[in-house]
Amino acid sequence: NAGVTQTPKFRVLKTGQSMTLLCAQDMNHEYMYWYRQDPGMGLRLIHYSVGEGTTAKGEVPDGYNVSRLKKQNFLLGLESAAPSQTSVYFCASSYSDKDVYQETQYFGPGTRLLVL
Amino acid sequence: DQQVKQNSPSLSVQEGRISILNCDYTNSMFDYFLWYKKYPAEGPTFLISISSIKDKNEDGRFTVFLNKSAKHLSLHIVPSQPGDSAVYFCAARLVYNQGGKLIFGQGTELSVKP
């Protein structure tokens, strides 16, 4: 199993450009998440999804959109990139069973984005 | 408002000694806490967790302690090894949580020196 994979690994954008980050998981997880990591800020949740076709806002959703058309994929879009979106982006997934207390999230390797 | 705080950005420990990483939280509705470990250029990986109904959970060299009255948890690594050098994040889940969302602290960078 590959676990959680992310593409691309690194990208440089100019202000105003758009791009889509792709996350894929092969663990049949219901839940998927997009985080950004910035120095001194930890991991902050951007958007998340509790199942195919559903998405919800997290802590810092502004400037981002997401889609979950297939259970195994979760896409993060930047319509008009800004320098403030320079960050490392992590995707994660988890299997939540109400009978099982643990809800461990499994993370991808990250996408480093630089917006000039 | 930071609901989960790791006030020490960095910690340096000698190999073989104990490493203690601390985490404070403000919301009494958190019911589950986790620690993640992150190496450079990699994603975080799950390390250990604890339910709010417990005060201690142990897994090999790693022990997590929870003090609910003080809203404080700590991760103990004994003995510390150079391979433990990484950034450690604590995370918490709200009891009425929907979707398994976690709130993360800022992280503490641990350096274990040989």
Side-chain angles (χ1 to χ4, degrees):
Chain A
N1 287 351
V4 180
T5 57
Q6 294 182 232
T7 52
K9 288 184 169 51
F10 175 70
R11 183 78 182 267
V12 179
L13 287 179
K14 294 182 180 179
T15 297
Q17 287 184 317
S18 63
M19 78 163 294
T20 299
L21 284 68
L22 172 64
C23 176
Q25 53 94 5
D26 60 2
M27 297 174 282
N28 201 36
H29 285 166
E30 287 294 330
Y31 297 171
M32 296 187 74
Y33 316 84
W34 275 107
Y35 293 89
R36 59 178 290 174
Q37 184 196 3
D38 302 291
M41 302 293 287
L43 292 158
R44 292 183 293 169
L45 183 65
I46 304 172
H47 286 279
Y48 67 102
S49 169
V50 298
E52 182 179 321
T54 69
T55 63
K57 293 180 180 180
E59 188 183 354
V60 287
D62 294 343
Y64 305 95
N65 56 74
V66 288
S67 63
R68 183 107 181 261
L69 299 179
K70 294 182 179 180
K71 185 177 183 179
Q72 63 268 33
N73 295 337
F74 196 27
L75 279 62
L76 177 71
L78 286 74
E79 290 187 350
S80 179
S84 61
Q85 294 178 305
T86 293
S87 187
V88 181
Y89 292 87
F90 290 101
C91 175
S93 70
S94 68
Y95 171 69
S96 181
D97 183 342
K98 288 184 172 56
D99 294 329
V100 176
Y101 205 70
Q102 290 187 351
E103 289 183 355
T104 303
Q105 293 185 15
Y106 296 85
F107 283 80
T111 294
R112 187 173 296 274
L113 177 65
L114 175 61
V115 182
L116 302 176
Chain B
D1 181 30
Q2 193 82 20
Q3 296 188 67
V4 178
K5 296 181 181 179
Q6 294 176 257
N7 292 317
S8 297
S10 62
L11 175 68
S12 183
V13 172
Q14 206 68 31
E15 181 180 5
R17 299 290 188 102
I18 184 172
S19 294
I20 300 176
L21 293 88
N22 295 304
C23 181
D24 296 299
Y25 61 95
T26 57
N27 195 330
S28 58
M29 298 301 284
F30 288 138
D31 71 334
Y32 193 61
F33 302 89
L34 306 90
W35 284 93
Y36 282 81
K37 178 179 181 179
K38 183 185 178 306
Y39 291 117
E42 295 183 9
T45 55
F46 170 73
L47 186 60
I48 192 170
S49 62
I50 187 167
S51 161
S52 61
I53 62 174
K54 296 184 176 182
D55 55 18
K56 177 183 175 181
N57 188 27
E58 196 171 351
D59 183 2
R61 296 186 297 113
F62 303 92
T63 303
V64 56
F65 295 92
L66 176 62
N67 182 333
K68 287 182 67 177
S69 61
K71 295 190 177 65
H72 177 84
L73 67 156
S74 61
L75 174 68
H76 292 210
I77 307 173
V78 184
S80 301
Q81 300 174 353
D84 296 328
S85 297
V87 177
Y88 290 79
F89 292 99
C90 67
R93 185 189 74 176
L94 288 165
V95 67
Y96 51 80
N97 177 61
Q98 180 189 26
K101 292 180 291 182
L102 298 175
I103 298 173
F104 285 83
Q106 306 97 309
T108 296
E109 184 172 9
L110 174 65
S111 176
V112 180
K113 301 195 181 302

